[in-house]
Amino acid sequence: PFMLYNVPGRTGVDLEADTAIRLFDDVKNIYAIKEATGSLERSISLLSQREDFVVVSGDDAIDFPMLANGAKGIISVTANILPNLKSQLVNNVFEGNYDVARKINNDLYPLNSVLFCESNPIPIKAAMYIAGLLDTLEFRLPLTAPSAETMKKLEETLRNYEVIK
């Protein structure tokens, strides 16, 4: 089985919906796509064209609306810091508890935002280091260390979520 990976912000190339559908139809071992364009319209386009094409949210800020519209799961940056909340969000959508899931999604918005204030994966690596989940804060080119301002924002945000004291 093979999952297409559409993250134009990282790859510099957008896998258009028509191309993804054509690949799904033509290549038997393609079963899914990680859709991280940030576009609900794109996700709905994919979901409406092929019911058996698994769409997975790859954009933390819109996990709730994507799941509510038929996405089958998430591939999350934020889950590296708060896996329990991201799991609760998904489970609540699948159980039909949309108000609870929407609240979790909304409550996570400040963290989702700060984790993308610089090029991914710089902020999440820094957040994991601050939280004690990584031993060193090391980056290989072309990635660079986060700015002092980003580190301050991350520390404040992680305190607000009680990830650090």
Side-chain angles (χ1 to χ4, degrees):
F2 187 78
M3 177 184 288
L4 300 173
Y5 187 91
N6 191 26
V7 187
R10 294 287 298 150
T11 63
V13 177
D14 184 7
L15 183 59
E16 296 287 338
D18 291 341
T19 303
I21 293 295
R22 192 178 78 241
L23 287 168
F24 175 73
D25 289 344
D26 293 349
V27 182
K28 296 303 173 209
N29 63 329
I30 292 176
Y31 75 100
I33 185 168
K34 173 187 175 181
E35 183 55 45
T37 59
S39 169
L40 288 175
E41 183 176 352
R42 172 69 58 85
S43 299
I44 292 168
S45 173
L46 292 165
L47 290 162
S48 69
Q49 292 183 60
R50 298 292 184 281
E51 287 185 21
D52 53 342
F53 191 19
V54 174
V55 175
V56 176
S57 176
D59 192 334
D60 283 288
I62 61 170
D63 283 343
F64 169 72
M66 283 188 65
L67 291 163
N69 278 292
K72 301 295 185 208
I74 65 173
I75 298 174
S76 169
V77 170
T78 304
N80 287 285
I81 294 293
L82 293 173
N84 291 345
L85 277 179
K86 293 302 282 197
S87 179
Q88 288 173 27
L89 186 154
V90 173
N91 289 332
N92 274 288
V93 170
F94 291 163
E95 292 169 3
N97 301 322
Y98 294 113
D99 290 340
V100 173
R102 184 183 304 107
K103 182 177 182 339
I104 294 168
N105 196 73
N106 291 344
D107 289 349
L108 287 171
Y109 186 76
L111 180 59
N112 292 335
S113 294
V114 76
L115 290 177
F116 289 91
C117 68
E118 289 189 28
S119 186
N120 185 38
I122 293 169
I124 188 58
K125 286 185 76 169
M128 292 173 72
Y129 173 74
I130 292 166
L133 298 170
L134 295 177
D135 294 331
T136 62
L137 187 55
E138 182 179 327
F139 295 90
R140 285 179 276 160
L141 293 174
L143 300 178
T144 58
S147 69
E149 181 181 336
T150 292
M151 291 298 283
K152 183 179 177 183
K153 285 183 195 175
L154 286 167
E155 287 177 13
E156 289 172 5
T157 303
L158 293 175
R159 273 192 196 87
N160 290 341
Y161 286 91
E162 299 179 0
V163 172
I164 61 172
K165 302 287 184 217

